[in-house]
Amino acid sequence: MMPIIVHTIPAFTDNYIWLFHQQGSSDAYVVDPGDAKPVLEALKDLGLTLEGILITHHHNDHVGGIEQLLTQYPVPVYGPKGITQATEIMVDGDTLDVAGTSFNVIEIPGHTLDHIAYYTASEPLVFLGDTIFANGCGRLFEGSPEQMWQSLSQLASLPPKTKLYCAHEYTEANTRFALAVEPDNSDLQQRAQDISKTRAENKPTIPSTLELELATNPFMRSNQLSIKEAAENYGQCKVSTEAEAFALIRQWKDSF
Ligand SMILES: [Zn+2]
């Protein structure tokens, strides 16, 4: 089986739109096209034809370009319930076969209630919208901390080498916060240096990998003693569950 190639399309100030196709094929699929223009340009530059649109959640910076793309490419739109343009509603456990690859749909509520991820074990990689960022996680606009922690835990059970295709370049700001939470984490210190170098060269820090996030991302590490202690110190209270530690770290980041 031929691997899939994922192209990075920067959009707005810090969004990434992902365009992918099977190696050797010009049939392409786009994930979360918040803006149509850079997607149409990338298709033209790369000599690809759009065959489908995958949506992770309903925020406008992820769906805003759908209508315009459909006027030029009347293709299927895969997305969670609540996406008005979706022609195929995807729910937990669904399989989506595109670009010669089989994707599993995983429901990961928290950032929004309708949020889903598309995971393929064949690479392995996951398109996960605004749920995990490099050294960060999405804000809780709709879901509870318990729901988000459950979603992060579910993603944490994927293979460690899984590439995480997050939808924003928030990595430097996230890393400043992560260092405030866990200043003695040597993996994080090393990663902070790597990130500074990458961003100084104006290169994307995404995709990340699950193993990297499990080593340095304070939100993904809410089950670790060092994060529990940092959460207790921040909240000036006793923390008894992983979800409570997560909730406090999220609250801390919101006012950081
Ligand atoms: Zn969002």
Side-chain angles (χ1 to χ4, degrees), residues 10 15 21 31 35 37 41 67 82 88-89 94 97 108 127 130 141 147 195 209 215 220 233 239:
N15 281 69
H21 61 94
V31 185
D35 192 4
K37 192 164 172 277
E41 285 170 3
E67 300 288 358
E88 315 235 2
I89 301 295
D94 276 354
D97 292 318
I108 45 170
F127 297 109
D130 290 351
F141 286 113
Q147 277 176 316
I195 286 163
T209 64
M220 296 297 286
N233 200 34
V239 165

Side-chain angles (χ1 to χ4, degrees), residues 47-63:
L48 300 172
T49 306
L50 191 65
E51 295 291 340
I53 299 172
L54 283 64
I55 301 297
T56 63
H57 69 292
H58 67 78
H59 285 157
N60 201 53
D61 61 324
H62 298 252
V63 302

Side-chain angles (χ1 to χ4, degrees), residues 26 33 39 101 105 135 233:
S26 60
V39 177
T101 305
V105 174
N135 281 339
N233 200 34

Side-chain angles (χ1 to χ4, degrees), residues 4-8 16 18 31 56 124-130 132 162-168 206-208:
I4 63 171
I5 310 289
V6 186
H7 298 279
T8 307
Y16 289 130
W18 305 109
V31 185
T56 63
L125 66 81
V126 63
F127 297 109
L128 43 61
D130 290 351
I132 300 175
T162 302
K163 286 185 181 165
L164 309 183
Y165 284 87
C166 326
H168 287 275
I206 312 295
S208 178

Side-chain angles (χ1 to χ4, degrees), residues 1-5 20-29 99-101:
M1 199 172 71
M2 298 298 268
I4 63 171
I5 310 289
F20 68 92
H21 61 94
Q22 191 171 25
Q23 191 177 346
S25 166
S26 60
D27 293 350
Y29 296 82
T101 305

